Amino acid sequence: MQITALRRFVAVVDAGLHFPRAADELGVPLASLYTSIEKLDGEVGHPVLSKQGSGWQLTPAGTLLLAEARERIAAAPPATLPARTAAGGKAKASKGRGRAPIVKGQPKPYKKRQGR
């Protein structure tokens, strides 16, 4: 089992089994969080969370996994966040082949469209 999947599972449980709140805390898309939990279900062989009415509930397999997940996370090296690079400058729109600048008092450097 991947530590990332275990961290996401524990984050969902710590967020009160509320997926959107857990996704915000982790800084991951909600769909990615659901996918991680589904993959974890497949690795465990049993569902770790079940949908009950309007919310989610921890299953017996999930309760057992939670204790093991917390132990593995504590033993694992701390998670390193990806380095954020500074944003680049403003993007400039391409204007085709390039036009000469219009200088006041000079004729336009490109042909006008023929009027109808």
Side-chain angles (χ1 to χ4, degrees), residues 25-92:
E25 289 174 7
L26 291 169
V28 297
L30 187 59
S32 176
L33 186 59
Y34 279 119
T35 304
S36 296
I37 299 299
E38 287 176 6
K39 286 181 182 177
L40 198 58
D41 287 345
E43 289 179 20
V44 171
H46 298 286
V48 293
L49 298 173
S50 65
K51 182 85 167 157
Q52 297 292 324
S54 63
W56 291 87
Q57 194 172 24
L58 202 58
T59 62
T63 306
L64 293 173
L65 179 65
L66 182 61
E68 183 182 340
R70 289 189 194 273
E71 289 174 9
R72 285 192 185 187
I73 291 170
T80 56
L81 297 174
R84 294 187 183 235
T85 58
K90 289 185 177 179
K92 294 182 180 176

Side-chain angles (χ1 to χ4, degrees), residues 1-2 10 13 18 20 28 47-48 60-61 65 67 74 79 82-85 87 96 99 102 110-111 115-116:
M1 280 181 251
Q2 292 183 347
V10 171
V13 173
H18 193 264
V28 297
V48 293
L65 179 65
R84 294 187 183 235
T85 58
R99 298 179 183 163
I102 297 174
Y110 52 90
K111 291 183 177 181
R116 294 188 182 225

